[in-house]
Amino acid sequence: MTGEKSKDSFEKVLTFYLAESERRYHKAERVSRGEAADEDEDEDKDPYGLEDRNQDDSEDDSEDDEDDEQSDAEGSGDEDATTDSAKKAADASAGTAPAAKGPRTAAAAADEDEDDDNDGGDGTDARAQSESAKLEDLEQMETPESVLMAAVTKSSASDRTFRAVAAPWLRFLWEAYRNSLDVLRNNVHYELLYYRVARQAMTFCHKYHRRNEFKRLCNTLRNHLKQSHTWKSDTNINLKVPETFERHVSLRLAAVKYARDLGQWKEAYRVVKDVSELIREVRAHCDLRVRTHVNFLRLIAVLFSKSRDLTFHAAACQQIFRLCIENIDEFGDAEMESAANSAVLSALVVPMTRADSSIKDANAFTAREYQARREGEFKSLLNLQTVPTRAALIHFVTESEALSLANVEVRKLFNVLELEFAPDALRNQAVNMFQLFEESDEFSKPKYKAYRSVLEYAVTMRLLTQVCHHFFLSSLSKGWGQRGLKTQRRNWQCKQR
């Protein structure tokens, strides 16, 4: 019982510390804009509910003291005096302490953080975010370059006030999150609190566009995970426990989403590699939930699409569809159709001829070596034995249930592109498909819009190929065998002259 109380008290203190740091920054930011008058009036109203919680704690202490009185009557007087002093101290601290967010249970707070990730802000928040985004690095706010630029340019008064008043509190808030994670790391008793604080730190980096701090946060989480393998203690976390394993994977998948929103694609790829290694290490002891595995593959598919590796992107989309088919009870009809559409469209946009390499290097061997190493990493992420090819991807679409579950327009486009030779029908179906990208609510989503440009290229190349083949055969049929072919070559040479 004592251990649980001390744990709850520590959680309250840490929550108070983080909430008060954030409140102080918001107050300093308002001071920099000259809007701090309304905040001073509400400082004594205890908006985070610490007074009620301290009263509840004092009531719990009094109930425990009453139980002790029944068991030991001789020490009742001393215990009552101690209880009264504890009440007075708690009431005094509640009346004088700055406002801070009251602690919730770690699991409930973690669920609330999931809902708060996409919260927007008003014009004031956007203005504060733009001001904070001007500081590239909180640990080095005054660089030689910034000093030189300040000497030759005229900075606005609001910019100077923000750097003098609000920027130190912004840095203090970042250090509060970092220090809290260092204190809570690899402790099984505070695992949920560690998860919640890490999510809050990611939200902080995303809200204020802290790109450098986000990199440091990902490195911190990576180092903490490595230390969990080397530390040997009774309180160390055990990644072989399914709940702990699932929680760490979900935390890093959230980091990938924030990195995507911040444009930190290299950092997103590093975190994806960390998740892949973690899954590979713990695979023998516990399996990943199907939903989490699907989310992991979706993020990998986004990374492949961003890096223009369309072959591996299609392989990831087809793995998602395979998981949905194998666990059909966990997915609805809309999710199944979406997975089928992605599997078919991703296979169609794979180039018909594979480029040698995207690396422009004088040493061709270095380019091939880099390409081989890159493909090896991608195969490891998707747990593949060989590099996927366009023929294998198209074969999977035709043999699986992807075509039957996909949208009707997507199915028709696949048929005229891969199974039929009809240039006119291909042109008409492509027009219908592109209209669907504009008019349909489902296909106007960002994940489908990414297919449009590459799909236009694929349709154009296939249409040109079919038209050239058609006219070439028509020209041969009008001639007389080899004589007609020679005539066509002679006419083409005359046109070139």
Side-chain angles (χ1 to χ4, degrees):
M1 187 66 182
T2 305
E4 291 294 332
K5 283 189 174 182
S6 62
K7 177 182 176 181
D8 294 340
S9 300
F10 178 75
E11 182 178 348
K12 293 176 182 178
V13 171
L14 186 62
T15 307
F16 172 85
Y17 171 59
L18 295 176
E20 180 66 13
S21 301
E22 186 172 3
R23 189 187 71 86
R24 290 296 182 93
Y25 165 68
H26 288 310
K27 182 178 179 180
E29 194 272 330
R30 281 189 288 269
V31 168
S32 66
R33 299 197 311 265
E35 303 175 0
D38 297 337
E39 181 66 19
D40 296 335
E41 299 177 358
D42 299 334
E43 284 188 355
D44 299 331
K45 293 183 179 180
D46 191 22
Y48 299 103
L50 284 183
E51 185 175 359
D52 297 336
R53 286 175 171 79
N54 286 329
Q55 290 178 358
D56 295 339
D57 294 340
S58 62
E59 291 176 0
D60 294 338
D61 294 339
S62 63
E63 291 178 359
D64 295 337
D65 291 337
E66 290 176 0
D67 295 337
D68 294 337
E69 284 179 0
Q70 296 177 0
S71 61
D72 189 4
E74 295 179 357
S76 61
D78 297 336
E79 291 173 358
D80 292 338
T82 304
T83 305
D84 294 338
S85 62
K87 286 182 179 180
K88 293 179 181 179
D91 294 337
S93 62
T96 58
K101 182 179 281 188
R104 304 177 180 87
T105 59
D111 294 336
E112 292 179 4
D113 290 338
E114 294 279 352
D115 299 333
D116 295 339
D117 288 340
N118 296 325
D119 289 348
D122 54 7
T124 302
D125 293 337
R127 182 178 175 184
Q129 293 170 12
S130 62
E131 291 289 342
S132 61
K134 295 178 181 178
L135 299 175
E136 295 185 359
D137 194 343
L138 292 178
E139 296 185 4
Q140 193 178 7
M141 292 188 291
E142 292 294 339
T143 60
E145 293 82 1
S146 63
V147 173
L148 289 175
M149 290 298 296
V152 298
T153 59
K154 292 183 180 180
S155 58
S156 62
S158 60
D159 190 13
R160 291 194 301 268
T161 305
F162 180 85
R163 288 179 176 271
V165 178
W169 281 108
L170 184 66
R171 178 178 178 180
F172 181 82
L173 179 58
W174 157 246
E175 291 179 349
Y177 283 120
R178 186 176 60 180
N179 294 335
S180 300
L181 291 174
D182 288 336
V183 171
L184 298 171
R185 70 183 186 277
N186 299 330
N187 193 322
V188 68
H189 299 297
Y190 300 104
E191 184 179 349
L192 291 175
L193 186 58
Y194 177 87
Y195 173 82
R196 191 188 74 183
V197 173
R199 289 298 301 268
Q200 290 177 353
M202 293 177 188
T203 305
F204 162 81
C205 296
H206 178 262
K207 182 178 180 180
Y208 300 107
H209 305 283
R210 307 311 313 164
R211 298 165 62 91
N212 291 329
E213 284 70 30
F214 184 79
K215 288 183 180 179
R216 296 191 183 100
L217 177 62
C218 292
N219 289 331
T220 299
L221 297 179
R222 188 176 297 113
N223 293 332
H224 289 174
L225 187 62
K226 292 180 180 178
Q227 291 172 1
S228 65
H229 298 291
T230 57
W231 288 7
K232 302 297 181 181
S233 64
D234 297 335
T235 60
N236 193 24
I237 62 173
N238 185 10
L239 293 175
K240 297 178 182 179
V241 177
E243 291 78 9
T244 302
F245 170 65
E246 191 77 24
R247 193 173 295 114
H248 277 268
V249 172
S250 300
L251 179 62
R252 281 151 182 82
L253 293 184
V256 176
K257 294 179 182 178
Y258 282 116
R260 176 195 61 191
D261 296 338
L262 289 172
Q264 298 281 346
W265 295 105
K266 289 185 178 180
E267 196 62 39
Y269 181 68
R270 294 191 188 100
V271 178
V272 164
K273 289 176 63 178
D274 295 339
V275 175
S276 179
E277 293 176 0
L278 180 60
I279 294 175
R280 197 177 301 111
E281 291 175 1
V282 195
R283 183 183 302 165
H285 303 280
C286 54
D287 295 329
L288 197 62
R289 288 195 307 116
V290 177
R291 284 282 182 181
T292 307
H293 196 185
V294 168
N295 292 334
F296 175 59
L297 290 175
R298 284 173 179 168
L299 293 175
I300 292 179
V302 171
L303 291 178
F304 288 152
S305 176
K306 189 67 178 180
S307 62
R308 309 294 294 181
D309 290 286
L310 300 178
T311 305
F312 285 96
H313 170 77
C317 292
Q318 292 185 0
Q319 285 194 7
I320 294 172
F321 177 75
R322 189 181 294 112
L323 279 176
C324 294
I325 289 294
E326 294 174 356
N327 304 272
I328 194 172
D329 297 334
E330 298 189 17
F331 299 93
D333 295 338
E335 291 176 306
M336 294 294 298
E337 182 179 350
S338 176
N341 291 334
S342 299
V344 175
L345 290 176
S346 61
L348 289 178
V349 299
V350 175
M352 289 180 288
T353 57
R354 179 182 173 187
D356 296 334
S357 176
S358 60
I359 308 300
K360 304 301 181 181
D361 198 321
N363 190 350
F365 177 77
T366 304
R368 289 195 298 268
E369 183 181 3
Y370 174 82
Q371 188 71 16
R373 184 172 68 252
R374 187 184 186 188
E375 291 177 350
E377 293 179 356
F378 292 169
K379 287 191 301 181
S380 178
L381 290 178
L382 296 177
N383 197 21
L384 298 175
Q385 300 298 326
T386 58
V387 177
T389 60
R390 190 179 192 278
L393 297 172
I394 295 297
H395 179 74
F396 173 85
V397 173
T398 55
E399 295 297 327
S400 65
E401 301 177 8
L403 276 180
S404 59
L405 295 176
N407 185 276
V408 178
E409 299 296 333
V410 175
R411 192 185 314 145
K412 291 180 179 179
L413 182 63
F414 181 86
N415 290 332
V416 296
L417 264 175
E418 301 296 332
L419 305 181
E420 300 176 5
F421 184 85
D424 294 335
L426 175 58
R427 183 187 64 82
N428 297 331
Q429 187 57 39
V431 170
N432 295 335
M433 190 67 205
F434 294 143
Q435 288 180 353
L436 193 65
F437 281 125
E438 296 292 338
E439 300 173 357
S440 174
D441 295 336
E442 175 66 20
F443 284 90
S444 60
K445 294 180 179 179
K447 67 175 182 179
Y448 290 116
K449 283 189 175 181
Y451 290 124
R452 171 151 190 174
S453 59
V454 287
L455 190 60
E456 287 178 352
Y457 178 78
V459 170
T460 303
M461 293 302 296
R462 180 56 62 91
L463 188 60
L464 288 175
T465 302
Q466 292 185 0
V467 169
C468 292
H469 188 64
H470 173 74
F471 281 105
F472 181 72
L473 293 179
S474 299
S475 299
L476 288 181
S477 62
K478 292 179 180 179
W480 297 277
Q482 293 293 330
R483 181 180 176 183
L485 181 60
K486 291 180 180 179
T487 304
Q488 294 296 328
R489 289 180 178 176
R490 191 181 304 111
N491 294 335
W492 180 79
Q493 292 177 357
C494 294
K495 291 180 181 179
Q496 292 296 321
R497 293 175 184 173

